[in-house]
Amino acid sequence: MDRQMESQLVTVAAIDDDKGSLDFIKAALKQHPVEILAETDADSGLKMVFNRRPEIVLLDLMMPTMNGLEVLDRIVKAAPETEVILITGQYSPESALEAIRRGASDYIPNQ
């Protein structure tokens, strides 16, 4: 891929402890002109976001070491220009409202 084409790609990072969900995201986006980055844990995901500065982060709400709202807080503080979309199978109106209040661009129930 040449540099001009590479610079036009949108970078999307996915952080989810479920590898199956990451595989689904990669498959869904592979037909689009995006660079897809993926991590299965919150700490590695944050390092990836801070180093690569993706335009969009798809973020699982429920993860074992740090929940998605905590990761969201850190991303918003360090990279406020990044669009963060929370995805969860554990939807509640309260968590959706809290995510948007904390700076998420969107909140998508995965059911």
Side-chain angles (χ1 to χ4, degrees):
M1 185 179 324
D2 66 29
R3 288 238 184 256
Q4 184 177 7
M5 176 93 169
E6 194 173 292
S7 69
Q8 294 174 355
L9 288 177
V10 170
T11 302
V12 176
I15 306 170
D16 194 317
D17 62 312
D18 181 354
K19 188 175 177 334
S21 293
L22 292 177
D23 290 343
F24 175 78
I25 290 168
K26 289 176 188 176
L29 295 177
K30 76 177 183 178
Q31 297 176 16
H32 299 281
V34 297
E35 177 184 16
I36 304 164
L37 310 172
E39 286 292 345
T40 56
D41 71 86
D43 290 322
S44 297
L46 280 170
K47 287 176 188 168
M48 173 183 62
V49 168
F50 298 154
N51 290 331
R52 297 294 305 276
R53 299 292 185 169
E55 287 85 359
I56 300 168
V57 174
L58 303 174
L59 176 61
D60 185 19
L61 180 64
M62 302 302 286
M63 293 184 284
T65 60
M66 186 184 319
N67 74 43
L69 293 175
E70 294 169 303
V71 176
L72 171 65
D73 289 341
R74 292 180 186 195
I75 293 171
V76 167
K77 184 176 180 180
E81 70 283 357
T82 301
E83 301 286 330
V84 181
I85 300 169
L86 270 94
I87 302 172
T88 185
Q90 307 293 320
Y91 173 79
S92 75
E94 296 81 17
S95 65
L97 205 57
E98 185 65 16
I100 298 302
R101 188 186 70 71
R102 289 181 172 194
S105 299
D106 206 345
Y107 180 102
I108 301 171
N110 179 19
Q111 300 178 3

